[in-house]
Amino acid sequence: MKKQNIPIFNLLLAFGVICIIVGLFLLLRVSFNYQLEFSFLSFAVTFTGAVLFYLSMTITRRALFFFLGLYLCLASFFTWFVTSGLIPLSMTELWPVEVVLSGICLAGTGIFKNHTLRTRYLFPSVTLIVFGLVFLLFSLDIIRVSFFSVFSRWWPLLLILLGLALVVLFACQHRSDIHFPYEADECYDGETSVSEDGDE
């Protein structure tokens, strides 16, 4: 059955996004008795993220809009959690969480676009999450050595890890029982691929 873009469902989606945002604000105020610091910039970031998310779900179906909308909403809410005191740490200590969030949003974008997590989204998202977690260990002083001193000595490990990842990828794609989720146009030669904007 062909999907139809019915305006009432678009209104339901918009109302659902508004309910989630307002509900999170009220949950912080009522349940935890924290005073959120509202500013025009933080409101503008959240509103922009919600609009981009709505547009990606209803009109454009663009992966970039979905990623930016999801990331802006999650990042602004995380910032409010920190500035309100719900998370008892500062943003200078928790900035790597924003990198982790970007990796999570990139993975979600891949699932949104292709209904599965393909390699073009899988490896960058995993890389962002791993780097964010490593940076978080340094920024929280769990690893008490300076990041730059560790990096200046051990940076060749990045080349080794990259090489190992490429070798494993090469070996896995030559095995018949392991299937990497490549794009459709990478698997079939000479066939026309479906347009990237998701026309169904």
Side-chain angles (χ1 to χ4, degrees):
M1 188 169 74
K2 188 176 180 180
K3 296 180 182 177
Q4 294 182 355
N5 195 8
I6 303 174
I8 189 67
F9 291 129
N10 292 348
L11 289 174
L12 287 175
L13 177 64
F15 187 69
V17 171
I18 292 170
C19 285
I20 291 171
I21 292 173
V22 173
L24 284 172
F25 287 145
L26 294 177
L27 184 66
L28 276 177
R29 278 188 90 122
V30 175
S31 299
F32 299 103
N33 294 320
Y34 283 101
Q35 187 67 35
L36 288 178
E37 297 179 8
F38 292 101
S39 67
F40 176 76
L41 180 61
S42 59
F43 175 77
V45 168
T46 308
F47 180 76
T48 304
V51 168
L52 289 174
F53 182 79
Y54 173 78
L55 291 175
S56 70
M57 296 293 287
T58 58
I59 298 173
T60 65
R61 302 288 299 172
R62 289 187 181 272
L64 179 62
F65 281 21
F66 184 88
F67 171 78
L68 289 176
L70 188 60
Y71 177 74
L72 290 176
C73 288
L74 289 179
S76 61
F77 278 116
F78 175 72
T79 304
W80 281 326
F81 290 160
V82 174
T83 57
S84 66
L86 184 60
I87 300 175
L89 295 169
S90 66
M91 282 303 295
T92 55
E93 296 171 303
L94 292 175
W95 68 266
V97 175
E98 302 282 352
V99 180
V100 175
L101 286 178
S102 66
I104 293 170
C105 292
L106 190 60
T109 302
I111 295 171
F112 163 76
K113 183 173 174 59
N114 302 302
H115 305 293
T116 184
L117 189 57
R118 298 191 184 276
T119 51
R120 71 165 60 174
Y121 292 97
L122 175 64
F123 289 106
S125 61
V126 169
T127 302
L128 286 171
I129 291 170
V130 169
F131 274 111
L133 292 175
V134 170
F135 291 148
L136 192 62
L137 293 176
F138 284 97
S139 66
L140 293 177
D141 287 332
I142 295 174
I143 298 177
R144 298 189 176 273
V145 184
S146 168
F147 173 77
F148 294 106
S149 64
V150 172
F151 182 77
S152 63
R153 175 176 290 188
W154 298 101
W155 68 267
L157 275 177
L158 292 177
L159 292 176
I160 295 171
L161 292 174
L162 176 63
L164 285 175
L166 294 174
V167 169
V168 168
L169 177 62
F170 175 81
C172 288
Q173 82 175 31
H174 279 75
R175 288 183 54 181
S176 60
D177 58 334
I178 297 178
H179 300 286
F180 275 86
Y182 292 113
E183 296 292 333
D185 55 357
E186 293 175 359
C187 295
Y188 303 105
D189 294 327
E191 293 186 12
T192 58
S193 61
V194 181
S195 66
E196 283 199 9
D197 287 335
D199 296 333
E200 293 177 290

